[in-house]
Each structure stands twice: as C-alpha cells, then as structure tokens.
Amino acid sequence: MKIQTKPNWKAYHSVWGSLSKLLLVVAMTGIMTQSLGQTPQQPVVNADHSVTFTVKAPGTKKMVLVLSEKKYKMQRHNDTFTYQTAPLPSEMYTYYYLSDGKEMLDPENSRVTRDIALKLNFFFVEGDVADYYIDKDVPHGRIDKVWYPSTLNGMSQRRMFVYTPPGYDADSTATYPVLYLLHGSGGDETSWADYGRACQIIENMLHQGSIKPMIVVMPNGNIEMDAAPGESPYMNKKPTGNNISSWLGKFEKLFVPEIVKYVERHYRVKADKQHRAIAGLSMGGLHTLFIALNNPDMFDFVGLFSAQTSNMLDENNIFKMERFNHNMQRFRNVLALVQDKVAPPVSLSDKMADIDIYSRLEEKLQRQFEHAPQLYYIAIGCDDFLKKMNSQYRDILDKHGYRYTYVETDGDHSWENWRKYLVDFLSNFDF
C-alpha cells in the first residue's frame, strides 16, 4: 500500500520567508559595507603566497612600503596606494608605511608589535615555520607580569614576564623545568613574548608533542629601565638600541641571586641543573654565555642566538674610559667653580667591580665543561655582523675539544632567525 503525503505548504512558506529575510540582511550588509568603503584586514596574503598591500591615504603624494626593513615604492590610484610582492617564504613579516616621508601604521591592520621604539604592523605567511608563531586553537598557558625585588643599578624592583604552561594551575603538585629567555640590546621583558612569539611557539610545540611543558622566564636585561616603556610607575624613559651600560657585568652578577632565586621561591620549578635552560639573542647571548660560565653548576642547556660573545669593553678599555672620565670631571669642576656651583661626580669605578664576570674566560670554560651542559647550542646567520666574533669564540671551544651544537643559517641579525633558533633549540631539549 502506497501512502502519499501532502506537502505542508504553510510550513514551507514560513521557512522560505525566514530564509528570504536572512538573505536580504546579508545582501544589505554587503551593500552597506561596500558603500562605506570598508576593506578587509590588510595586507592580503594571496594563494601563491604573494602579498598585496592596499592603503587609502587622501592627500598623500608618495607612499613607501617598508617591509622587513626594505623599501618599496607603492603605485597610486587616486587616493589609494597598492603594492604586490613576489611569493614570500613562510614567515612572520613586519612592515610600516612612509607617507610623504612620515612613518605611518596600517589603519586596516590591528596587529602591531614593537622593536625598540619603533611600532610595526605584522602578518604571517603560513605553510611552514610561521605555523609555530600563529595563535591556534590549542591549550594556552598564562603570562604573569611580575615585579620582583632588585638592587640592580640602584633600583628597588624590576619587572619580568613568567609564562606558566597549560595545566599549571590545575595540578598544584606538578613541578616543571624552566627556560630563562633573554632579549637583545634595546629590548625588554616584552620582547620574546611579543615580537619573538615565544608563547605561541611553546604552545604549538606542546600540542605537537615535540616538547614537554615548561616555565619560561623573560626578564628585562636593560639595566637603565626597570620595565618596558610606559609600563613603569617609577620612570619614563624611551628605549634605545645603545645599551652599553648593560654589557658591564651587573645584570649577569645579580641574575642568579635575584631572578633565579625569586622564580624558585614563587613557582613550582625543578630547581636543579638538569632542568634549567638559559638562552638569549645578541646582547642576551652575551648575558647567557657569561651567566652560564660563572655559574657552571646551574644550567644544563645553554643557547647562544647570534650572540655577542665578547664584552668588547675589557678591563684595559674600562681603565682608559676611567682616565678620560677623570679628566672630564676636572674640567666640570673648574667650570662649576666659575659658575659658583658644585659639579656632580661622574665615575665608572662602580662598574669595575663587575667586570670580573668577563675575565679568565678559558679558565672558567674548563670548569664549566668538566661537567659539560647536555646542550651547548650556538646559532648564527651567514650574513650576521657578529659571525666573526662567534667564529673566534668557537675557535676557543674547538681548541680545547669542548662539544657544542653549531647551526649556521641564511640571513642576518634578525628576529626571522631568532624565532627559528628558539624552535630548533627547544627541539633538542631532553628535560
């Protein structure tokens, strides 16, 4: 027996009416968006990995795109300027515009980072290494912005970032290995978390199962500032890439008693050599090298990324500076006497007590490599201006037969390399 069912036309018309209204709303939204002249988030990464930049700038005569520090003249179409790149490798790229010579961020890109004092837009070309740098739907940890007691440079406290991995708060009995991650000259405690994408790298590698959960400590190695610009209630200084005062041993000397000891009192870390790692880029590489060197029983994993392997201001140079400073002080005293004032004292003698951090290199290396770190990692780009300095340091290690891992890549002194080095360094961990 065949049963024939009549269609429910009333219900059909009801559904169709609702669907028609929805389609009308979508269509009207599209029309309104076009009429308002809104554009999608910029720039647009095309299917072939070329990138199209579009910026509206009424009244601007000339627009230049500064992409990864290289300049490109943009094509003008009335009030709109465009530029399309060739296909780009997978990476995180930074850029800004020069509008008639004046620096300008992209008004259609909400993604902004900072390099020293310069603000930059950024975007990703996915498909390879940049996949580590992207925020994904994976379990996330937490960043604590910590003020800790410090006597460094006459201060009472300084700020650092402490990243705790997913699950840290859920199990109050679990303990974790710890990585101390140090920035370069001009940077601060935000550098690795922001421009370096360290937290995204950690979480994406955790999700892959290629590393174990760890705590990551990102301190501020610029001794002239207690925190990132605009983040301190005590001082308002602009950052500069010239951090010579941070190369004179003070930060390295206080690192273990102030930073490491604070972390081990306040966080559930495995407080032994086998579960401590330290790595840094450029100036942070200098700090890393000599912190590990002067504390040979502290760190089993040491990473030097484009490292400044020499202080460059040795004891002889410091004494020359002291003599010059003494003569300048005498001149100031005479000038102040003429003006009936008292010249403030200026001296480098307080720095002399810390310069021993950099002395007796080979003697200290011998002690450090008597119980060698599990991983002593050196990485640098073939066009990096510090490559010669790194080669000279490696000659010392080779002369004594000390084992280390050496990675040489394309590129120069740049975040494009340092992020890759962090991924590779973490991949070699055996916590």
Side-chain angles (χ1 to χ4, degrees), residues 8-76:
N8 187 343
W9 292 109
K10 186 176 181 180
Y12 174 80
H13 283 298
S14 176
V15 172
W16 174 249
S18 299
L19 182 60
S20 298
K21 291 178 182 178
L22 177 61
L23 291 172
L24 180 61
V25 170
V26 172
M28 288 300 294
T29 301
I31 293 170
M32 290 173 63
T33 299
Q34 291 177 6
S35 65
L36 291 173
Q38 295 180 0
T39 57
Q41 172 110 346
Q42 291 293 322
V44 176
V45 180
N46 303 309
D48 65 349
H49 287 186
S50 64
V51 181
T52 302
F53 296 83
T54 303
V55 59
K56 291 185 177 180
T60 297
K61 296 179 180 179
K62 180 181 179 182
M63 186 72 72
V64 174
L65 166 68
V66 184
L67 174 62
S68 297
E69 300 183 358
K70 295 181 180 179
K71 295 181 179 180
Y72 304 92
K73 184 179 179 181
M74 303 183 73
Q75 297 297 315
R76 182 177 179 177

Side-chain angles (χ1 to χ4, degrees), residues 278-407:
I278 186 169
L281 68 92
S282 194
M283 180 186 77
L286 174 78
H287 292 163
T288 294
L289 192 162
F290 287 97
I291 290 168
L293 185 71
N294 285 276
N295 298 277
D297 300 323
M298 292 289 293
F299 303 97
D300 227 3
F301 302 87
V302 179
L304 310 180
F305 307 162
S306 303
Q308 180 186 324
T309 57
S310 170
N311 167 260
M312 294 191 292
L313 294 174
D314 59 22
E315 293 180 47
N316 186 48
N317 290 334
I318 291 290
F319 280 118
K320 287 180 180 178
M321 291 172 64
E322 187 70 48
R323 286 197 300 270
F324 174 78
N325 190 71
H326 176 72
N327 292 331
M328 286 299 297
Q329 186 65 50
R330 291 176 61 187
F331 174 75
R332 290 190 185 98
N333 290 340
V334 171
L335 185 62
L337 184 63
V338 171
Q339 298 175 344
D340 196 24
K341 295 180 180 179
V342 177
V346 180
S347 177
L348 296 176
S349 59
D350 62 323
K351 298 176 174 61
M352 298 307 299
D354 302 302
I355 200 69
D356 66 316
I357 284 287
Y358 306 110
S359 65
R360 306 187 310 280
L361 173 66
E362 295 191 44
E363 175 188 329
K364 292 177 181 177
L365 278 172
Q366 181 180 4
R367 184 182 170 198
Q368 183 181 20
F369 278 86
E370 283 176 358
H371 302 283
Q374 288 191 50
L375 176 63
Y376 199 89
Y377 178 96
I378 301 172
I380 196 162
C382 60
D383 296 321
D384 196 305
F385 72 93
L386 292 177
K387 187 173 183 296
K388 181 178 179 181
M389 184 183 289
N390 275 244
S391 297
Q392 292 169 341
Y393 180 63
R394 288 173 53 226
D395 287 342
I396 296 173
L397 298 177
D398 292 339
K399 179 175 70 172
H400 296 286
Y402 300 143
R403 294 180 61 185
Y404 61 92
T405 297
Y406 178 64
V407 176

Side-chain angles (χ1 to χ4, degrees), residues 66-310:
V66 184
L67 174 62
S68 297
E69 300 183 358
K70 295 181 180 179
K71 295 181 179 180
Y72 304 92
K73 184 179 179 181
M74 303 183 73
Q75 297 297 315
R76 182 177 179 177
H77 310 279
N78 297 322
D79 290 335
T80 301
F81 294 83
T82 62
Y83 183 84
Q84 182 166 324
T85 71
L88 299 177
S90 176
E91 187 50 82
M92 172 182 170
Y93 293 91
T94 57
Y95 72 100
Y96 62 95
Y97 295 120
L98 291 175
S99 175
D100 290 335
K102 186 178 179 180
E103 293 175 5
M104 166 185 162
L105 287 174
D106 190 336
E108 300 297 338
N109 187 350
S110 59
R111 295 166 296 191
V112 178
T113 187
R114 176 175 56 85
D115 186 23
I116 310 179
L118 179 64
K119 289 186 176 180
L120 305 159
N121 291 114
F122 67 92
F123 65 94
F124 302 99
V125 175
E126 301 181 29
D128 194 356
V129 69
D131 293 352
Y132 287 107
Y133 313 150
I134 297 170
D135 286 298
K136 296 183 179 179
D137 186 16
V138 300
H140 297 298
R142 184 186 75 231
I143 292 181
D144 295 338
K145 300 177 181 180
V146 178
W147 286 93
Y148 66 96
S150 175
T151 61
L152 183 61
N153 215 26
M155 298 174 183
S156 61
Q157 60 180 356
R158 293 174 62 80
R159 197 174 77 154
M160 62 182 166
F161 279 10
V162 180
Y163 169 84
T164 52
Y168 181 85
D169 295 319
D171 183 357
S172 61
T173 64
T175 58
Y176 297 86
V178 59
L179 166 63
Y180 295 89
L181 194 54
L182 313 185
H183 62 79
S185 187
D188 50 62
E189 72 276 15
T190 70
S191 298
W192 268 111
D194 188 9
Y195 207 162
R197 310 295 287 182
C199 303
Q200 288 83 358
I201 289 170
I202 294 283
E203 290 171 352
N204 289 326
M205 295 184 76
L206 276 173
H207 188 65
Q208 287 181 348
S210 55
I211 61 172
K212 297 177 182 178
M214 68 186 73
I215 291 171
V216 184
V217 179
M218 295 165 276
N220 175 16
N222 179 353
I223 74 167
E224 299 297 332
M225 300 177 68
D226 57 359
E231 299 294 328
S232 170
Y234 309 105
M235 61 177 60
N236 184 24
K237 289 186 177 182
K238 292 185 178 180
T240 172
N242 183 5
N243 293 154
I244 293 178
S245 60
S246 300
W247 306 351
L248 298 174
K250 286 188 173 185
F251 180 77
E252 296 94 319
K253 180 162 282 190
L254 292 175
F255 188 87
V256 170
E258 291 193 350
I259 294 174
V260 174
K261 296 306 178 185
Y262 180 93
V263 169
E264 293 182 352
R265 284 194 303 269
H266 293 85
Y267 290 88
R268 300 193 311 274
V269 300
K270 298 180 186 291
D272 55 43
K273 179 180 178 180
Q274 292 73 26
H275 295 95
R276 289 194 201 98
I278 186 169
L281 68 92
S282 194
M283 180 186 77
L286 174 78
H287 292 163
T288 294
L289 192 162
F290 287 97
I291 290 168
L293 185 71
N294 285 276
N295 298 277
D297 300 323
M298 292 289 293
F299 303 97
D300 227 3
F301 302 87
V302 179
L304 310 180
F305 307 162
S306 303
Q308 180 186 324
T309 57
S310 170

